[in-house]
Amino acid sequence: EVQLVESGGGLVQPGGSLRLSCAASGLTFSSSAMSWVRQAPGEGLEWVSSIDGSGANTYYADSVRGRFTISRDNSRNTLYLQMNSLRAEDTAIYYCARIVYCGSVSCNYFDHWGQGNLVTVSS
Amino acid sequence: DIQMTQSPSSLSASVGDRVTITCRASQSIANYLNWYQQKPGEAPKLLIYAASSLQSGVPSRFSGSGSGTDFTLTISSLQPEDFATYYCQQTYTTPTRTFGHGTKVEVK
């Protein structure tokens, strides 16, 4: 059974930093592209960042580029999201998710999700 | 950027009803469209990928159709566990992916 367990969230002041972790089990982690998706309170889903299985290629939404860094440690089966210069609008539940490709780069979906971790940016 | 517009934003329905949710892309996305279900306090769950492929383990009362700019998620006979919020997601512009704003299915 695939399990993704996030940790590291909490309350942080504007301008502060936080690192989220996502521990994976039940899958071949080093072969799995991964992503972070967030959901502001009462709002919809927003794709944040993705990384390929090797960690060599990373991608970001415009809203977080230059402030957030996605990375992974395949020896620990763990995905990370380093969040710097946090703003009130970054307040959200952050989910990690596995990406599955179905025949082409554009054919892909998120088949397994973590339970989510709340990040609150407030003074 | 491709915008995804879902309609309606909410709907009221009864158990046994046929429910249809629409997702429209601001430009053609071929069939690179997924559907997710999210219940309060839970993570999203994949229902349909590539517009019409049913994810393993998802009941057959869920179906998806469409291509280009217009897509539909249909629940053929609404069950009590189907009251939730549904999101479409385009992956045409991978690595950037865009979700619709969601459609909440409520009890009538």
Side-chain angles (χ1 to χ4, degrees), chain B:
Chain B
D1 292 1
I2 296 179
Q3 308 302 318
M4 305 301 294
T5 303
Q6 284 185 236
S7 61
S9 56
S10 66
L11 65 90
S12 298
S14 301
V15 172
D17 284 353
R18 181 181 182 88
V19 170
T20 299
I21 298 169
T22 297
C23 182
R24 174 165 289 175
S26 58
Q27 65 184 74
S28 177
I29 57 170
N31 69 332
Y32 300 124
L33 190 284
N34 306 321
W35 289 98
Y36 299 86
Q37 175 195 66
Q38 187 180 34
K39 297 179 181 179
E42 297 184 6
K45 172 189 173 183
L46 177 69
L47 299 175
I48 302 284
Y49 65 92
S52 60
S53 295
L54 190 69
Q55 171 68 348
S56 176
V58 174
S60 59
R61 63 180 179 272
F62 291 93
S63 64
S65 65
S67 66
T69 60
D70 294 317
F71 302 86
T72 299
L73 173 70
T74 300
I75 309 171
S76 60
S77 178
L78 195 68
Q79 297 302 299
E81 60 268 30
D82 300 338
F83 292 99
T85 300
Y86 294 84
Y87 293 94
C88 62
Q89 176 203 34
Q90 69 83 14
T91 60
Y92 181 77
T93 57
T94 294
T96 299
R97 301 161 174 91
T98 314
F99 291 91
H101 294 292
T103 295
K104 187 174 183 179
V105 177
E106 300 176 299
V107 178
K108 190 171 186 178

